[in-house]
Every structure is written in C-alpha cells, then in structure tokens.
Amino acid sequence: MKTIHVITLQNVANYGSVLQALATQELFESLGFDVKFYNYKRKESLTIYSKIIYFVKTQGIKGLFKSFLWIPSWIKENSIFQKFIKKHLNTIPQIVCESDDFKKITLDADIYCTGSDQTWNSGWNNGILSPLFLDFAPADKPKIAYAASFGKSSLDENEKARTKELLSQYSFISVRENSAVNICNDLGIKAYQVVDPTLQMTANFWQKFSKPINCKGYCLLYQLNTNRSFDKFAIEFCKKKGLKLIRFCHRLDKMFLPADIHLPMPQVEDFISFIDHADFVLTDSFHCSAFASNLNKQFLSFFPEYGGRIKSLLDLLHLENRHIVDLNSIDDYVNMPNIDFDKVNAILEQERNKTVELLKDAVG
C-alpha cells in the first residue's frame, strides 16, 4: 500500500478544520492510500504561555487582557479537539513547527500533500510558512495540493515571487476557491478548483457522526465574528420564523451574546448534530455553510470581512441568494423560497466525481 503524508491545519481549534482533515483522510484511504498527518503546529500556539506571549507582542495590553479572558476557552478547546483528533486521525506523534523540525523525523512517504483549509493564508499565518508548501519533502517525491486555500482573493506583491517558487515544486495543485485558481494562474501555475473535503463526503457519511438532539423547532446560529447587527438580525429572524435561537459558542465568552439556548463549546460531533437537526441555519462560517448545504438544511450566510470563501461556495452551488446582503431587510429573507436541494446535490455529486478523477491522475 502506498503512503501519503498530509500537512494541514487540523490542530487549529476549529470544528471545520478537524472535520476537513477527517474527510481528507477518508478520501485518500478510499483511493487505496495509507494516510498520515504531520502533527504541525505554529510555534505561538504550542502552549497557553506561548499564546499569551503572542497576543501581547501583537496587540499589547489589549492582547494581554484578551488572552486572560480566553484562557478557559483554550483549556476547554484543547481537550475537545485533541480528543477527536486522537480518536479519528492517523497522526505522526512528533510535533513539527518549522522546516528544520522535519529533519528529525522519517520522511518515507510515497507522496506528500498540502491539505485543505487556509494553509496558504499569509495573513492568518503571519507570513508565508514554507512547511505548508512542503519545502521539507524529498525532491524526488511527488508533491500535491488538495483543496488548499489562500483565504483571500489576491496576493500581496511582496509574496508573489516566493509563492510562485514554492508552488512550482508541485506536480499537481487543486484549490478550494475560484479566486485561488486565479491567483495560481496569475503566477503561471496550473490549478484546479475542487470542493472542500467536507463536501467531498456525502451527507450519509456525516450523519454517522450525528447524535439525537432533545430540541426541535430551532434555528442554529454559528457566528465566528462578533457582529451586533447580525445578532439583532438572528433574533428578529427567529421571532418571525417562530423558531428558538440556539447559539453554538466556539468560545466560552460567547455565552454572554443573545440567544434562547447557548451551547458552550460542544464536542466536534455536536457541530454536525446541531446542523443536521436544525430547521434553519444562520452563519458567517465557510464550513458551517458547507455542512448546511451538504446536509440539505435551509440556511443563510453573512459574509465576514474576507467573505470570498463563502461566496465561491454559494456561486458554485447556484445559491447566491443565500448571502445576507442587507441585515436590515429581514422580511426579504424570512419570506425567501426554500432551497431546491435536488439541484444542489446534483452539483455536489458532479464535483465529487471530478475530484476523484483529478486525484487519481495526480497520484498515478
């Protein structure tokens, strides 16, 4: 059996990040590979102390206050996400942070892969992190990228040359957004757009992780970015729809935001469960939008500052009207017709087949 080693962001304390890693593992295993993930972490996220130092360096006194506020959440999230990772992902035990760290572990894979999520987002990563571009991989082994994302619509001028140099080492590149295809093309690099790994897996796959919920008639709100106007929209929307508002809190301090019911940092499986059983979903999250689409839930998405990822998804599925453009026009969204999921499912099935064929060619 051939081996493929994947570097991605499964150690980010984010529901979508760990679930896209699980989906990536499932896909490559279905193609006959032994899959292992590098235990990659950014240095500033290794410990709570390193997180505090990072916040102080980047935000000063404000960062110090914020870090102490978030310490309980950091402790809780480490328990939640590491529990899921240890149970479901095949991970190489040694922690790696920088390119030199890979010299201390055995690099014996047949193929090396940059996985999905915002692996190439220089804003999020505070610069170009070369391990996420597989700079450590042996030169005689194939490098591929699967559904990678830049997390933005264009590169800064000062990062184009280095990005092109790193991408030129790949034998195959697939990306998650149409804007990422354009970024690669502008650098003279061939790239294919594929759906996020969580969409590559069918609803039946994800529903194996879904548990019964003791609540009916609710709208799930999953909000990554604090936005008082979006809060007001959600409250009024639910009143008009006759639904309870359940807020999925990805940090403990989110418990103070308005909702009928708060879910304080639930288990990873609960992220799937509460979307699966919802009557409606409101979100500013790419992965929540993806799961709502995949699980055939009526939903609306509000774009955060960098909303290109959600826009690309809605464009692909012909669901452009699910974008909340005006938070004051609540009645327009309350009275919208339901999504025709037969059409959505047909598009997803076509995209899944395309991805499998592309990856079969890429891995030989």
Side-chain angles (χ1 to χ4, degrees), residues 45-308:
S45 66
L46 283 174
T47 65
I48 288 178
Y49 176 74
S50 62
K51 289 182 179 181
I52 293 173
I53 295 300
Y54 171 75
F55 269 67
V56 172
K57 281 184 177 179
T58 56
Q59 301 181 34
I61 296 298
K62 179 182 177 182
L64 181 64
F65 174 78
K66 187 185 294 185
S67 63
F68 279 110
L69 178 66
W70 287 1
I71 284 176
S73 296
W74 289 340
I75 295 172
K76 176 75 171 175
E77 69 188 16
N78 184 67
S79 171
I80 291 171
F81 290 103
Q82 289 305 311
K83 175 184 175 182
F84 185 87
I85 288 170
K86 289 176 181 177
K87 181 178 180 180
H88 293 288
L89 297 185
N90 303 324
T91 306
I92 297 170
Q94 297 94 324
I95 294 174
V96 286
C97 299
E98 298 177 332
S99 298
D100 286 345
D101 295 333
F102 289 87
K103 298 175 182 178
K104 304 171 186 176
I105 61 177
T106 304
L107 299 174
D108 57 356
D110 295 297
I111 296 176
Y112 293 83
C113 176
T114 294
S116 184
D117 219 355
Q118 298 183 63
T119 44
W120 295 339
N121 186 340
S122 59
W124 175 263
N125 293 329
N126 299 311
I128 295 173
L129 298 182
S130 56
L132 293 170
F133 289 83
L134 302 174
D135 71 327
F136 58 85
D140 60 340
K141 296 293 184 179
K143 300 180 183 180
I144 68 171
Y146 170 47
S149 173
F150 292 96
K152 54 185 180 180
S153 59
S154 62
L155 298 182
D156 296 336
E157 284 298 323
N158 62 2
E159 59 185 339
K160 288 183 178 180
R162 179 58 174 157
T163 301
K164 180 177 181 178
E165 177 187 2
L166 290 166
L167 293 181
S168 297
Q169 307 302 311
Y170 285 76
S171 58
F172 169 82
I173 294 175
S174 62
V175 290
R176 202 174 64 183
E177 294 94 21
N178 50 13
S179 59
V181 173
N182 295 333
I183 288 174
C184 291
N185 289 345
D186 288 344
L187 298 175
I189 303 293
K190 177 66 175 176
Y192 301 88
Q193 184 183 2
V194 297
V195 292
D196 185 81
T198 62
L199 292 169
Q200 186 66 28
M201 297 297 107
T202 65
N204 287 338
F205 172 81
W206 292 119
Q207 283 167 339
K208 291 185 294 185
F209 297 88
S210 179
K211 300 179 293 186
I213 300 297
N214 293 324
C215 185
K216 294 183 179 180
Y218 69 87
C219 172
L220 181 69
L221 174 62
Y222 183 59
Q223 183 183 11
L224 293 177
N225 306 280
T226 301
N227 186 316
R228 303 299 184 189
S229 297
F230 192 20
D231 290 338
K232 293 177 181 177
F233 175 94
I235 293 167
E236 190 63 26
F237 180 89
C238 289
K239 284 181 181 178
K240 290 178 179 288
K241 281 282 191 180
L243 299 171
K244 301 184 192 74
L245 178 61
I246 295 183
R247 182 184 289 273
F248 203 104
C249 305
H250 69 282
R251 291 198 319 263
L252 295 177
D253 57 290
K254 298 287 184 180
M255 291 282 291
F256 297 101
L257 295 175
D260 296 312
I261 302 172
H262 293 85
L263 302 174
M265 298 184 68
Q267 299 298 313
V268 175
E269 292 86 351
D270 291 327
F271 179 79
I272 302 170
S273 302
F274 276 90
I275 295 175
D276 187 33
H277 295 285
D279 291 85
F280 211 99
V281 175
L282 296 172
T283 188
D284 63 356
S285 154
F286 168 83
H287 275 115
C288 188
S289 301
F291 270 95
S293 302
N294 205 355
L295 295 171
N296 289 186
K297 294 295 161 179
Q298 302 300 323
F299 75 97
L300 290 167
S301 298
F302 180 72
F303 293 3
E305 182 179 358
Y306 299 104

Side-chain angles (χ1 to χ4, degrees), residues 10 23 33 36 136 271 300 347:
Q10 80 274 11
F33 281 91
K36 286 187 171 61
F136 58 85
F271 179 79
L300 290 167
I347 294 170

